[in-house]
Amino acid sequence: MTQPCNSVNSCNVAVIGAGASGLVAARELRREGHTVTAFERQKLVGGLWVYNPRVEPDLLSLDPDRTTVHSSIYEALRTNLPRECMGFRDFPFVTRPEDESRDSRQYPDHKEVMKYLQDFAKEFEIEEMIRFETEVVRVEPVDENNRKWRVRYKDSRGVSGEEIFDAVVVCNGHFTEPRLAHVPGLDSWPGKQIHSHNYRVPDPFKDQVVIVIGNQSSGTDISKDIATMAKEVHIAAKPDTYENQSSLYSNLLIHPTIERAYENGLVVFQDGKAVHADVIVHCTGYKYRFPFLEPNGYVTIEDNCVGPLYKHVFPPALAPGLSFIGLPSMALQFFMFELQSKWVASVLSGRVKLPSEDKMMEDVIAFYAKLESLDIPKRYTHFLTDPLWTPMFEKLKPHEAVVISQSEYFNWVAGQCGCPSIEHWRDEQYNISVKRDGDTFRDDPWDDRDRLTKEAYRDFAKFKP
Ligand code: FAD
């Protein structure tokens, strides 16, 4: 295991990405006394929240040589969580009613999230640490002790360079590389196919018959958006999830998953119903990808499990020189980024100790074995959630569910770096919110909304300048 650069308690650290995770990582690293250079290939901070009306030419994003568009945000997107629980702890995502250009709704649109991240960057003077329009193309240890890391990069004019750092913190996001559904017969199905990564507006679907595969957040939102223009929208949903769906849209129909697609354009669902569709939209999630680490022998991705990683952050053999922020999905993202960043920053300075490489590896192996014993597939290794609301985890007993519980994880990480546990209102607001659905859930009143919002704002008062 690499030693923290604690001889001086300050490291020279490269951060890859200036989305929400890279921004808070840069802030926490600097707060801890490190020197930070953040590399960002876009022109702006915000990552995924930098809306881009352009999409990739290959609508399924299969071509490895395509020009990548980073954002997967569609025009109509509003947050799927109330803003209070979504924000960073000490820079709350409060409403700004005094500013008419801001969206003061509790579930604001994507532009408001972007403005919030820009405010955050400004408040903590993060942009001065960022090299914009500079893509990291290679990261590798300089010596066999992994004490130094070489970062190679290329800027927008094609100028390349390399620098040596004590540590690299990977914050490159994981909502850009589409994962596709495997549907028998789809290869020779003649219609158009697109992944939600390349969906922006419903207009191109006017009067068409559309099948949306998947009914998680993006699938349900996008199918309703398309239903405003299309002739029919058919959602193909996993068993146990599709009955919960209700809809205001008479042209929106829910089915179980697709049985088979045919060369004549017919698509048959597992309930025996069949439709002639024009388009299939894959809302089937994303894959982790770290092209700048390939090929390597130290961190691999197998069935969407990035490993081995101690507590989703540190590869035991390379810790603390290489770390990953933001891998767990489903969880309260910004809050988690903040806690993980504090942990990484304090480990790098030597203020907080990691277990030995062997002990971390033992922990990873035990974690994988636990997931396997609970029949949790490898591809869900980085799922953190409230198990009770996720149908596929409902069967877990409370003591088993601990393994994927986000609050258990947050409190463990918080404990490592001496931070308070997750606030009661935040945990409750998240747990209530993720169970809410229906066409207008973002604007409908909900039980305990006022109480929890008041509790949140009482807490926020501590952080007002
Ligand atoms: P990103 O925001 O993707 O940022 C990664 C950054 O790294 C990008 O700026 C990218 O340009 C840069 N980068 C990548 N590779 C390189 C490289 N090689 N060199 C230099 N720079 C690089 N979360 C919520 O909390 N609430 C929501 O309502 C919500 N809605 C969502 C809706 C959609 C459709 C999706 C896909 C996700 C949503 N999320 C939501 C989750 C969201 O991903 C996180 O909130 C968060 O924004 C991710 O931040 P990140 O910094 O990890 O990644």
Side-chain angles (χ1 to χ4, degrees):
M1 182 173 66
T2 333
Q3 292 307 309
C5 24
N6 59 351
S7 49
V8 285
N9 275 340
S10 168
C11 300
N12 187 18
V13 188
V15 171
I16 304 177
S21 61
L23 288 173
V24 74
R27 185 191 71 167
E28 293 304 329
L29 287 159
R30 185 167 62 185
R31 273 183 170 171
E32 187 72 19
H34 304 297
T35 304
V36 182
T37 306
F39 295 91
E40 171 51 61
R41 65 182 175 191
Q42 303 195 89
K43 287 183 186 162
L44 301 168
V45 300
L48 176 100
W49 299 96
V50 182
Y51 176 72
N52 189 343
R54 249 177 357 100
V55 294
E56 294 175 5
D58 162 16
L59 293 178
L60 285 179
S61 304
L62 293 171
D63 179 359
D65 299 323
R66 70 193 189 277
T67 306
T68 310
V69 171
H70 186 78
S71 185
S72 302
I73 292 289
Y74 33 94
E75 174 64 34
L77 187 137
R78 288 174 64 188
T79 64
N80 49 26
L81 292 172
R83 62 195 304 148
E84 295 83 18
C85 66
M86 218 184 115
F88 298 117
R89 182 177 250 162
D90 65 359
F91 190 75
F93 192 7
V94 292
T95 55
R96 297 185 185 267
E98 71 287 357
D99 182 348
E100 278 179 14
S101 71
R102 303 298 290 252
D103 182 346
S104 288
R105 291 174 294 182
Q106 191 168 32
Y107 291 78
D109 62 24
H110 60 85
K111 295 189 228 69
E112 178 68 13
V113 183
M114 177 64 188
K115 286 177 186 161
Y116 166 72
L117 291 174
Q118 286 173 323
D119 289 345
F120 178 78
K122 192 165 169 217
E123 174 74 19
F124 297 100
E125 300 174 348
I126 298 170
E127 289 205 0
E128 64 193 32
M129 293 183 268
I130 304 174
R131 286 202 212 148
F132 287 104
E133 295 188 86
T134 306
E135 178 172 8
V136 170
V137 291
R138 187 95 191 106
V139 170
E140 59 198 357
V142 172
D143 55 47
E144 54 192 38
N145 297 324
N146 310 314
R147 282 177 194 276
K148 297 277 178 194
W149 291 80
R150 180 179 294 111
V151 172
R152 295 208 172 107
Y153 50 83
K154 197 173 69 184
D155 72 15
S156 55
R157 292 162 300 150
V159 178
S160 305
E162 66 173 56
E163 275 163 57
I164 305 294
F165 293 89
D166 299 317
V168 176
V169 183
V170 178
C171 302
N172 68 330
H174 50 88
F175 292 100
T176 297
E177 188 69 21
R179 199 152 60 88
L180 297 176
H182 296 291
V183 175
L186 209 51
D187 287 347
S188 45
W189 183 75
K192 179 173 159 185
Q193 294 184 57
I194 160 173
H195 187 275
S196 56
H197 171 58
N198 294 309
Y199 175 79
R200 297 291 180 270
V201 288
D203 308 61
F205 300 89
K206 189 167 167 31
D207 299 331
Q208 304 214 313
V209 175
V210 182
I211 294 175
V212 173
I213 304 180
N215 66 331
Q216 298 290 312
S217 314
S218 295
T220 47
D221 275 354
I222 288 175
S223 56
K224 285 169 197 163
D225 203 24
I226 295 177
T228 60
M229 297 296 258
K231 185 171 161 205
E232 289 167 20
V233 180
H234 299 265
I235 303 184
K238 281 201 178 136
D240 302 334
T241 61
Y242 72 97
E243 282 162 351
N244 302 334
Q245 303 272 337
S246 69
S247 179
L248 283 178
Y249 304 92
S250 57
N251 60 344
L252 184 60
L253 301 142
I254 320 281
H255 306 270
T257 41
I258 298 173
E259 174 102 11
R260 186 167 192 91
Y262 293 89
E263 280 178 34
N264 64 1
L266 202 69
V267 176
V268 179
F269 297 95
Q270 278 176 350
D271 59 2
K273 299 217 171 80
V275 290
H276 269 282
D278 301 299
V279 192
I280 292 181
V281 185
H282 295 250
C283 295
T284 41
Y286 294 87
K287 293 191 278 200
Y288 295 98
R289 193 161 173 243
F290 311 100
F292 43 82
L293 288 174
E294 291 165 8
N296 73 75
Y298 25 93
V299 183
T300 59
I301 305 174
E302 197 190 320
D303 194 14
N304 226 26
C305 161
V306 185
L309 287 184
Y310 178 60
K311 308 292 183 194
H312 307 282
V313 173
F314 290 108
L318 304 170
L322 185 68
S323 57
F324 295 79
I325 302 292
L327 293 200
S329 53
M330 312 292 278
L332 270 173
Q333 299 281 287
F334 293 12
F335 183 72
M336 176 183 74
F337 301 160
E338 192 174 1
L339 286 178
Q340 290 179 326
S341 299
K342 283 180 190 292
W343 185 33
V344 169
S346 52
V347 166
L348 283 174
S349 68
R351 196 166 56 80
V352 170
K353 299 272 176 272
L354 285 178
S356 68
E357 180 184 338
D358 287 349
K359 286 265 178 266
M360 285 194 278
M361 218 35 232
E362 269 171 34
D363 185 275
V364 177
I365 290 165
F367 174 57
Y368 291 168
K370 182 85 192 161
L371 294 179
E372 206 177 333
S373 73
L374 297 173
D375 280 336
I376 297 178
K378 222 178 179 55
R379 65 180 180 280
Y380 296 138
T381 301
H382 303 293
F383 261 45
L384 282 181
T385 184
D386 170 4
L388 296 178
W389 78 271
T390 315
M392 63 193 155
F393 299 130
E394 254 171 10
K395 62 179 190 315
L396 298 184
K397 300 189 180 80
H399 71 278
E400 296 170 337
V402 165
V403 71
I404 54 155
S405 156
Q406 70 155 354
S407 41
E408 288 287 331
Y409 177 74
F410 290 163
N411 292 342
W412 186 90
V413 180
Q416 294 304 295
C417 41
C419 299
S421 301
I422 185 168
E423 306 90 330
H424 169 263
W425 63 263
R426 195 188 296 270
D427 202 23
E428 239 193 293
Q429 200 183 51
Y430 171 84
N431 287 333
I432 293 172
S433 307
V434 289
K435 285 177 220 140
R436 300 178 65 230
D437 55 14
D439 299 310
T440 52
F441 79 91
R442 292 180 173 85
D443 298 311
D444 292 342
W446 43 285
D447 285 349
D448 272 347
R449 169 183 165 152
D450 292 346
R451 178 180 65 81
L452 291 172
T453 310
K454 270 193 201 133
E455 228 178 280
Y457 275 80
R458 260 202 306 278
D459 226 11
F460 294 166
K462 287 188 231 154
F463 302 109
K464 286 226 176 96

